[in-house]
Amino acid sequence: MDINQLNEHFGLPGVLAFQATASGLIRADVTTPHATATVYLQGAHVAAWQPAEHKPVIFTSRKTELKPGKAIRGGVPIAFPWFANRHDGKTGPSHGFARIQDWTLAFAALAGEDLHLTFTLGPNELSRSLGFDQFRLAYQLTIGRTLTMQLTVANDGGAPLVFEEALHTYYAVTDIHEIAISGLDGVSYLDKVDNFNKKLQHGDITVTGPTDRVYLDTTATCVLKDHAGKRHISVAKTGSTTTVVWNPWEEGAAKLADMDPTEWHEFVAIETVNAATDAITLAPGATHTMQARVTVETVGI
């Protein structure tokens, strides 16, 4: 659908409106009684969410290129059907193809004080060229005082579908030096900045340098304590047994063309994932659903 069709079929006066960027990307601008948000149809990509009376919760780089086929830096990229780099020896875009494809908006409705959106993605020319032609994705967003993101994968083929997935969420913080993340004490993780050595988490996570940790076999809720921002951001999940915590730090950010070199201290990624030894094997005809529910509360005032 073009902009006019989207606004005609799904637009809700004062709540949901669609517009295009100069480069042609289509975005949905959301205003509910208790939050604002921005969602791009490319990647079904949540680029902003800000509950009323709070600062923005989702971080998107000021330098990201909003261009068709170009991954958006920040927000909530959807990784599918692999996380990071492909593992089977074949080539493909980092984090898979879902985040650089246009999704179809299938449903939009205001229920109570929350806006419900459903996006779908099926096989296309790019996915088929990468060997994926028997899948369907549905992504349901509930936007309001809380943000719920739910990704369902269906296997339409006659053989098992093996995949990884992630809601690669960038959370805005006041200062990366003054945060802590609770919920993963005692969980084993692969340290990607230390040759994938397996380690054990002790206490809260603090970020003091380049950080890229894959926490395995965990369904725990994480709480991001933004001390300088006087708030806690809670990330509760279901259908996910991997959690990734990432920040590139100064040296890593300097290598990212789509991130301002000063932005690394403004976010931390807490990712809802199924990857590595927690990859999903989905039987023919079966579905799998992964969900993250984000809430924010003010503390220490």
Side-chain angles (χ1 to χ4, degrees):
M1 293 185 182
D2 62 22
I3 293 293
N4 291 334
Q5 291 171 321
L6 285 165
N7 279 311
E8 179 181 348
H9 286 273
F10 298 110
L12 298 168
V15 176
L16 177 63
F18 300 87
Q19 61 177 301
T21 67
S23 66
L25 288 187
I26 296 175
R27 78 173 192 234
D29 292 325
V30 176
T31 303
T32 75
H34 291 294
T36 59
T38 301
V39 185
Y40 286 89
L41 270 62
Q42 177 174 284
H45 193 117
V46 177
W49 173 60
Q50 183 174 359
E53 302 177 359
H54 288 280
K55 292 178 292 185
V57 177
I58 302 297
F59 166 91
T60 296
S61 173
R62 295 181 291 274
K63 198 176 177 182
T64 192
E65 294 185 82
L66 297 173
K67 293 182 178 180
K70 177 75 172 178
I72 297 171
R73 172 65 65 186
V76 189
I78 298 174
F80 176 89
W82 56 81
F83 181 77
N85 297 317
R86 197 166 180 175
H87 310 302
D88 57 7
K90 301 177 182 179
T91 59
S94 177
H95 290 308
F97 52 76
R99 67 178 182 155
I100 55 174
Q101 295 292 285
D102 285 335
W103 291 54
T104 299
L105 179 60
F107 177 82
L110 186 68
E113 298 176 337
D114 295 336
L115 180 68
H116 296 258
L117 300 174
T118 300
F119 297 88
T120 61
L121 182 70
N124 52 46
E125 183 177 353
L126 176 59
S127 74
R128 292 187 181 100
S129 73
L130 295 167
F132 290 84
D133 63 353
Q134 298 290 331
F135 71 93
R136 284 177 294 123
L137 303 181
Y139 186 46
Q140 295 173 286
L141 295 173
T142 304
I143 301 168
R145 198 186 303 271
T146 65
L147 173 66
T148 301
M149 303 172 287
Q150 180 173 290
L151 179 65
T152 298
V153 182
N155 180 6
D156 289 341
L161 174 65
V162 180
F163 64 91
E164 297 176 313
E165 59 182 347
L167 301 174
H168 190 311
T169 312
Y170 292 64
Y171 292 99
V173 299
T174 304
D175 187 346
I176 191 67
H177 301 88
E178 297 185 55
I179 70 152
I181 301 168
S182 65
L184 296 171
D185 182 32
V187 177
S188 296
Y189 66 92
L190 303 177
D191 191 344
K192 294 178 70 174
V193 301
D194 187 18
N195 298 311
F196 285 85
N197 282 324
K198 194 169 187 177
K199 301 178 180 179
L200 187 68
Q201 180 64 41
H202 298 285
D204 287 357
I205 301 166
T206 55
V207 181
T208 58
T211 300
D212 197 352
R213 301 178 181 180
V214 182
Y215 289 85
L216 301 169
D217 302 318
T218 177
T219 60
T221 294
C222 289
V223 177
L224 169 56
K225 303 170 184 177
D226 181 9
H227 296 306
K230 294 182 171 58
R231 65 178 181 175
H232 286 173
I233 299 169
S234 176
V235 186
K237 64 177 189 171
T238 59
S240 161
T241 52
T242 314
T243 295
V244 174
V245 175
W246 175 71
N247 180 279
W249 213 247
E250 185 173 8
E251 52 266 45
K255 299 175 183 177
L256 299 174
D258 53 359
M259 179 176 288
D260 187 286
T262 66
E263 289 183 313
W264 57 273
H265 67 87
E266 299 176 20
F267 77 90
V268 64
I270 303 174
E271 307 167 34
T272 301
V273 185
N274 287 302
T277 56
D278 295 328
I280 301 296
T281 299
L282 194 60
T287 62
H288 173 81
T289 298
M290 178 177 73
Q291 177 181 287
R293 183 173 184 269
V294 186
T295 58
V296 56
E297 63 173 335
T298 301
V299 297
I301 293 179

